[in-house]
Amino acid sequence: MPSTAETIEYLKSLPAVRERAQRVYAKAKVQDLKHFDVDVSKLTDVAKFVVALIKRDYSDKDLNIPPHTRLRHFEVGNVDRVSKLVESWKGRADNMEIVRRMVDLIVVSVLLDAGAGDRWTFEVKPDNMQGVTRSFSRSEGLALASLAMFTEGRFSDDSHRGHQVDAEGLCKLTLDSLREGFQVDDQKNPLLGLEGRWELLRRLGQSLKAHPEYFKSPDNDVLRPGNMVDVLFKEGADRPRRNDKYVVRIESLFKVVIYGFAEVWPSSRTSLEGVSLGDVWPCDTILEPNAAPDSTEHYVVFHKLSQWMTYSIMEPLETMLNIEWDNAALLTGLPEYRNGGLLVDLGFMTLKPNEEERGLANYKSNALKPGQPAVEVVPTFEAHDPVIIEWRAMTVATLDLVADEVRKQLNMPSLTLAQVLQGGTWNAGREIASVLRPNTRGPPIAILSDGTLF
């Protein structure tokens, strides 16, 4: 029997994500889920829909699909904002410092990318990249808001180095500053979970202070997320090169993210003997009747935010520091409402009647609260609800199968899961949502957001 320390290590690992999700999917194959009915025959239809969008959007022969990372959201409106920012740094910062700044930006932007709600937007004024005022919502709006706050120096404690994120800057960040940065108006432009986001950023500052082994600068005492770049690059420099590239294990990057940012998670998250496990939840679908009270065998593991951050950090290190990632296939599909919503909207998964009734009652109750729009009624649940946990686990396992089917239909066996997510499933989930629910463009099942869970 594994020790508590070994159990914690396993539940914070990448293999646990896929292994526990596959146990839930095994229940689905024999129609033994507790909250959803599954029509496995619809898997091919899901893949066909994804393939159709990939062929529409990437017409070149090689289907040059970029990976699914936070950097894509900065490109909304076909404006390459980050490249412009990087160009402005050249000549004043070396390549390593540029990548540190990129990681600084990515980390805060990913952490701020929780569900924004259906009414919030971020307005971007005309500039040399965009000729007219435009408003953006959801993930793209949150990305542009975080980019604006980063370039304004709201996350830095050094007025001479505004384009960085540091521990002191985060710990001193005020709720009013964040409110202003997000252009929040409680009546006209409400943002879900504003205080949760503020507390999360302050906890990020505490994490940086708690883990100098990852985040302390080699040159001074400033603690920044971007200083992890030096730790990772050293691993690549110390190992034999492969095709003239520095080779770094994906487990090394994920370890920095999962342990280095451990304090970011709210205390309400699942813990084991006082140690927060992060995005890990008990799942009644795989709970054995005779399980011991302290068993963790029915815990499902997602680490969605940590994986999203890992995917996003990989990109600048790969493109700008010539790093190649070992074992990148350990990363999984992301269990969020676009990917999961696609499976529901195309009929692969359907809420059981009693759960749909309960979810609609939740919606009606939530709709009575001030500021809630009464449009496009959908079943609604808290993030910790067993329905959401089962849905997310099924999303992880099913995305692997969808990706296999997409590769087969395209005859492209080397297509990565990150490319399938970007070119297909995430985009497909968003598009079908906009057709079926044009007022909100929201998912078929709503998750009540506290600003800390996507």
Side-chain angles (χ1 to χ4, degrees), residues 407-444:
R407 294 181 189 110
K408 189 184 304 179
Q409 291 185 23
L410 289 172
N411 192 26
M412 294 190 70
S414 63
L415 204 64
T416 68
L417 183 55
Q419 289 176 302
V420 173
L421 294 173
Q422 176 61 32
T425 58
W426 189 88
N427 190 33
R430 179 172 61 176
E431 290 216 8
I432 196 167
S434 69
V435 171
L436 297 179
R437 291 168 295 279
N439 290 321
T440 63
R441 302 183 179 185

Side-chain angles (χ1 to χ4, degrees), residues 152-203:
E152 290 163 1
R154 290 179 190 257
F155 308 126
S156 174
D157 189 46
D158 187 339
S159 60
H160 300 293
R161 295 175 177 267
H163 290 184
Q164 69 178 30
V165 176
D166 58 65
E168 290 302 323
L170 292 168
C171 290
K172 293 177 181 178
L173 180 69
T174 66
L175 180 58
D176 284 343
S177 178
L178 199 63
R179 180 187 301 275
E180 180 184 58
F182 275 122
Q183 303 174 356
V184 170
D185 181 308
D186 291 339
Q187 299 303 316
K188 298 178 181 178
N189 196 35
L191 174 67
L192 290 182
L194 177 66
E195 289 196 21
R197 295 169 210 269
W198 174 58
E199 291 166 358
L200 187 148
L201 288 180
R202 288 167 62 84
R203 288 196 300 272

Side-chain angles (χ1 to χ4, degrees), residues 35 75 164 178 199 209 221 228 254 317 321 328 331 372 411 417:
H35 310 288
E75 299 166 356
Q164 69 178 30
L178 199 63
E199 291 166 358
K209 291 181 178 182
D221 292 331
M228 73 169 78
F254 190 72
L317 273 73
L321 293 182
L331 293 164
Q372 297 298 321
N411 192 26
L417 183 55

